[in-house]
Amino acid sequence: MAQQTDIFPPPGEAMEPPGAFEAQPMGFYTDTTVCIGCKACEVACKNWNGLSARDGGAQPMSGDSYDNTRTLDGEHWRHVKFIEQFSEDRSQGRWLMMSDVCKHCVQAGCLEVCPTNAIIRTEFDTVVIQADVCNGCRDCIAACPFGVIEVNPVNNTAMKCTLCYDRMQNGLVPACAQACPTASIQFGPIAELRELGAARVEQLNTQSRDAGRPEDAYLYGADDSIVGGLNSFYLLIDEPEVYGLPRAPKLPSSQLPATTALTAAGAAGLGLLGLLGFRKRRMDDFAAEARADAAGAGTAPESVRLAPGETVVVEPERGPKGGVGGEY
Amino acid sequence: MSIDPASAVSRVLAQTTLPSDTFVTLSPHWGWLIVLYFFLGGISGGAAFLAAMLHLFGRAEDRSMVRLGYLVAFVALLPCAPLLIVDLNRPERFWHMIWQSDSGGPMFKWWSPMSLGVWIITLFAGILLLALIGSWAGRVGLPNRLSSLADGTLGKVVAAATGLLGLFLAGYTGTLLTATNRPLWADTPLLGLLFLLSGISAAAAALLLLGWRRTHPASLSWLGQIDSYAMGLELAVLVVMVVTLGAVATAVLGNGWGVALLVGTVLLGTLVPLAAHFRPRLLGAATIPVAAVLGLAGSFVLRSVIVLASEAV
C-alpha cells in the first residue's frame, strides 16, 4: 500500500470510518520527473489546512517563470518549483518541476533547537509544530537546513507542513498526495516508498543507458546520508543545488562541540591573562617596596603603573592578600 | 533530453553553485532587538566576569571597581529579558521556554543554546543580584550585614558563579547563531569565541569609561591590559574567521556590511583603542574615554554586522 486513494465504499454499503494508519514511519516520495507543475498540491494543501493567502491575496507577480508562490513559508506548506533550463535562444532546454515540502527529517534541526518543545515527533515519525505551544522565537526557522519554516502571520507562530497529521490519524491520505494527478507525490510507509523510488530510478537510468544518455536519476534523502534520512524524499535528475536543495545539510548542533571548545578555551585564556596581570601588579609592588626599603623610606608612596609610558602616584591602600572578601 | 556541456544551459547551471548549503535557508528575522540584546548581554556578562576577577584576586584598592563592575553588569542585564520577550511573535507565551505549557515540568534542553541561554540568564540574574547586594552592602541604604554575600567562602562562591555565568552569557550568543543553518553564522565555529572576546572588551571599555578618575588607577591599569588582550585576540579571531569563510565571506560581507565591519569594528573599534592603550596621549587628555567609546561602538557594530548581514541574505 503506497497510496490509499479508495476511501469511499462501494455504492449501497455504509461508510466506515477508516481509522488511523498503523504507527510506523510514513511519508512522501516525490518523483519530480512526472510533476507537471499543476499546483494541485498547493491548492489542496491550502484548502485542507485553511491557510491564508500572502498579503491578503494581494501578492504581486514574481516574474519568475510560472512561480508566484516563490517559497515555502507559514502560509505555503507546498511549493511547486519551476526550474527553466534553457539556452539563451531557447532552442534547447528542459523544465524541471518539483513540489517542495517539509522533509520531516529523521534528525530534525527544528525539533533539536526548539526551546519550548512546540515541535514534536509523531507516531508516524513525522515532525509537527504545535501552534498552541510555539511562542514565535523563530529559532526553528534558522535551524531548518531546507528553508521550510516561517511564521504564519495569522496566528503569529511558526508553521509548516504537518504531513496532514489530522488526516493520517483518521486514515486519510495527505491532501497534496490525494490531489496529485500524476502520482508525482506518493504517500505511504517509508519502507515501501523507498522500494518504489529505487525501482523508478532503475527504470529511468535503464532508459537513459539504452538511449546513450547519462544516467542522471537518483534518490535524494531516501537513505540515512542526509540528516538521518528524509521522510519526504525525492527522485531528482540534476544536482541538488539546481532544485534549491542543500547538498550535505547539517544539524544545527553539528558545530556545537567545536564552537563550545573554542569559546571555553578563549575564556580560560583570557582568565589566565587576567591572573598574570594581577601577578605582574604584585611583582611591580614588591619591586617598588624593595626600592623604597633600599632608599630607607619604607612608607614611601606606592607607584602604580597606569599604562605604558604613564605613572600615577597614589596613597598606599592594601587589603589582605588573595582577595577582597570581608572588605566590603 | 541531454544538455550540451558547452551550452548556455550549462553556464546557467554553473551559477547555481552556492557558497554554502546555508544559502538555501530562510532568515529568522532577528533584527535590532536581538542585536541590542547581544550587545548588552556581552557587556553584562563581561562586566560580571571582570568584577568577579577583581573580587577574587584583586585587593582592597579594587573594591570600587568591583562595585562598579557588578552594577554595570546588572544595569546592562535589566533590558535583556524584555528585549527577548518583545522580540517573540507571541510575547505572552515567553514562559513556555521555562515551563512546558502542554505537559508541565521545567522546559530545559541543554543541547539547544536558546533553551540553555534562557536558564543561564535566569540564574545569572539571581546570582548577580546577590553579588551586587553584597558588594554594595553598607551603602545606598543597604544594611551592613548583607556584606556576608561578598565575604569569606560564600562571597568567593558567589563571585566565582557570577563570573562563570557572565562568561557564558557573553559567549553563548555567538554559539546560538552557530547552532543554526544560516549563512555565515553556521559556516564558522568562531562566533562564540568572537562574541566572548568582544563582550569582555566592551565591558572593559564601559568600566574604563565609567570608572575613569573615579576608581583606583591600579584597577584601571589591569582593565586596560585585559581590554588590550581581548581586542588583540578579537582582531585575530575576526581575521581568521573571514579568511576561513572564503566564498561565504565574499557573499555575505562583500558589501556595505563588510565596509561597516572594517571601518566600525576593525579600524575605529579595535585598532584605534589598541593604539591608545600603547600611546595613552594619542588623543590628548581624553584618550581613555574616547578609546572606550570607540571600543563600545566597535562591539555594537560587530554584532550588528554579524546578525544583519546574514539576515540580508
Side-chain angles (χ1 to χ4, degrees):
Chain A
M1 193 279 301
Q3 184 159 350
Q4 177 186 335
T5 55
D6 197 15
I7 63 170
F8 296 108
E13 289 186 20
M15 187 165 178
E16 293 289 332
F21 287 121
E22 182 188 342
Q24 61 177 319
M26 305 281 277
F28 294 128
Y29 151 54
T30 303
D31 180 353
T32 63
T33 62
V34 293
C35 176
I36 56 173
C38 69
K39 305 190 192 182
C41 51
E42 284 192 26
V43 175
C45 175
K46 269 191 171 276
N47 195 338
W48 179 259
N49 293 295
L51 298 176
S52 51
R54 182 181 289 138
D55 298 329
Q59 58 172 316
M61 299 294 175
S62 70
D64 180 11
S65 191
Y66 291 88
D67 181 12
N68 287 323
T69 306
R70 288 168 285 179
T71 178
L72 289 171
D73 59 30
E75 295 171 298
H76 301 89
W77 300 353
R78 272 276 176 194
H79 168 219
V80 179
K81 293 181 175 179
F82 292 77
I83 300 144
E84 296 187 25
Q85 294 182 325
F86 285 91
S87 57
E88 285 175 14
D89 62 0
R90 299 183 78 84
S91 62
Q92 62 168 320
R94 66 179 178 184
W95 290 89
L96 298 179
M97 294 162 201
M98 169 192 161
S99 181
D100 199 9
V101 72
C102 172
K103 313 302 179 291
H104 296 275
C105 313
V106 172
Q107 295 170 5
C110 58
L111 192 152
E112 183 181 60
V113 301
C114 177
T116 61
N117 272 356
I119 304 181
I120 58 167
R121 188 169 294 284
T122 72
E123 66 272 31
F124 305 113
D125 205 29
T126 56
V127 180
V128 171
I129 302 177
Q130 304 174 97
D132 58 336
V133 178
C134 172
N135 68 6
C137 72
R138 310 188 295 284
D139 205 7
C140 56
I141 299 175
C144 174
F146 298 99
V148 164
I149 310 175
E150 252 291 9
V151 169
N152 180 299
V154 175
N155 68 2
N156 263 323
T157 64
M159 296 193 89
K160 69 167 188 71
C161 162
T162 65
L163 224 142
C164 280
Y165 189 33
D166 52 345
R167 290 175 65 95
M168 288 174 70
Q169 286 175 313
N170 289 283
L172 297 174
V173 173
C176 54
Q178 183 81 54
C180 180
T182 64
S184 171
I185 303 170
Q186 303 211 33
F187 166 79
I190 288 296
E192 291 182 25
L193 293 178
R194 284 177 177 169
E195 288 176 13
L196 272 178
R200 175 64 174 160
V201 166
E202 181 56 31
Q203 181 190 33
L204 287 171
N205 284 339
T206 300
Q207 289 174 359
S208 296
R209 195 162 52 241
D210 292 346
R213 295 194 304 263
E215 297 174 31
D216 49 10
Y218 67 100
L219 295 178
Y220 177 89
D223 60 22
D224 61 3
S225 63
I226 292 182
V227 284
L230 306 180
N231 285 330
S232 174
F233 65 90
Y234 290 84
L235 187 152
L236 306 177
I237 55 171
D238 210 325
E239 300 298 323
E241 292 89 343
V242 172
Y243 297 90
L245 294 168
R247 180 170 291 271
K250 290 180 290 195
L251 278 173
S253 62
S254 62
Q255 295 216 69
L256 269 185
T259 190
T260 303
L262 285 166
T263 309
L270 214 55
L272 197 62
L273 288 171
L275 291 178
L276 289 175
F278 288 126
R279 185 173 181 278
K280 181 177 180 300
R281 192 164 73 170
R282 276 202 303 277
M283 293 299 110
D284 288 346
D285 287 351
F286 289 149
E289 282 175 12
R291 281 197 301 273
D293 287 345
T299 56
E302 181 185 347
S303 178
V304 177
R305 202 169 162 76
L306 177 61
E310 184 183 25
T311 56
V312 176
V313 176
V314 297
E315 292 302 316
E317 182 189 10
R318 301 289 300 275
K321 256 177 123 177
V324 292
E327 292 297 311
Y328 291 100
Chain B
M1 66 181 297
S2 61
I3 304 293
D4 175 4
S7 72
V9 177
S10 296
R11 291 199 294 277
V12 169
L13 294 184
Q15 290 170 6
T16 60
T17 304
L18 299 168
S20 159
D21 276 344
T22 56
F23 282 70
V24 304
T25 62
L26 295 177
S27 131
H29 315 296
W30 290 340
W32 287 109
L33 292 175
I34 298 300
V35 170
L36 195 55
Y37 161 65
F38 283 178
F39 177 63
L40 292 174
I43 290 178
S44 179
F49 164 68
L50 295 171
M53 285 286 285
L54 285 164
H55 187 158
L56 289 169
F57 305 106
R59 295 183 302 218
E61 65 214 35
D62 295 314
R63 280 178 292 173
S64 54
M65 185 57 87
V66 173
R67 281 193 293 272
L68 180 64
Y70 287 142
L71 183 62
V72 166
F74 190 75
V75 171
L77 186 66
L78 283 177
C80 287
L83 283 171
L84 292 174
I85 290 170
V86 169
D87 187 66
L88 295 173
N89 280 82
R90 298 293 295 261
E92 78 279 10
R93 295 180 179 176
F94 78 92
W95 59 274
H96 288 196
M97 287 180 169
I98 296 170
W99 195 258
Q100 296 190 48
S101 61
D102 54 346
S103 54
M107 180 58 234
F108 177 59
K109 289 163 83 169
W110 61 265
W111 59 92
S112 165
M114 187 175 281
S115 180
L116 192 57
V118 166
W119 285 98
I120 291 297
I121 292 172
T122 308
L123 289 174
F124 178 63
I127 200 83
L128 175 62
L129 186 61
L130 296 181
L132 180 71
I133 290 172
S135 67
W136 283 82
R139 298 165 187 267
V140 293
L142 288 172
N144 260 326
R145 65 176 182 279
L146 290 174
S147 66
S148 59
L149 290 169
D151 293 344
T153 305
L154 177 61
K156 283 186 170 62
V157 170
V158 168
T162 306
L164 285 173
L165 289 171
L167 278 176
F168 189 95
L169 177 60
Y172 102 93
T173 48
T175 303
L176 171 70
L177 293 180
T178 300
T180 63
N181 265 302
R182 287 295 295 161
L184 197 158
W185 302 348
D187 291 312
T188 175
L190 291 170
L191 278 184
L193 177 59
L194 186 67
F195 276 26
L196 174 84
L197 295 169
S198 170
I200 291 173
S201 166
L207 295 181
L208 284 169
L209 182 66
L210 297 170
W212 189 51
R213 291 182 174 166
R214 291 196 189 97
T215 53
H216 197 281
S219 309
L220 293 173
S221 175
W222 181 81
L223 276 177
Q225 274 186 353
I226 287 285
D227 195 14
S228 301
Y229 290 138
M231 281 192 293
L233 288 170
E234 179 189 340
L235 190 59
V237 171
L238 187 59
V239 169
V240 170
M241 188 186 86
V242 170
V243 169
T244 53
L245 278 172
V248 172
T250 306
V252 180
L253 300 173
N255 47 38
W257 291 115
V259 175
L261 188 67
L262 194 61
V263 176
T265 300
V266 175
L267 183 62
L268 295 176
T270 306
L271 290 177
V272 171
L274 263 180
H277 278 290
F278 290 104
R279 291 186 177 276
R281 297 292 174 196
L282 182 71
L283 304 169
T287 295
I288 288 180
V290 170
V293 169
L294 287 174
L296 282 165
S299 174
F300 185 77
V301 172
L302 173 74
R303 282 159 174 75
S304 304
V305 170
I306 296 296
V307 173
L308 301 178
S310 177
E311 282 284 337
V313 174

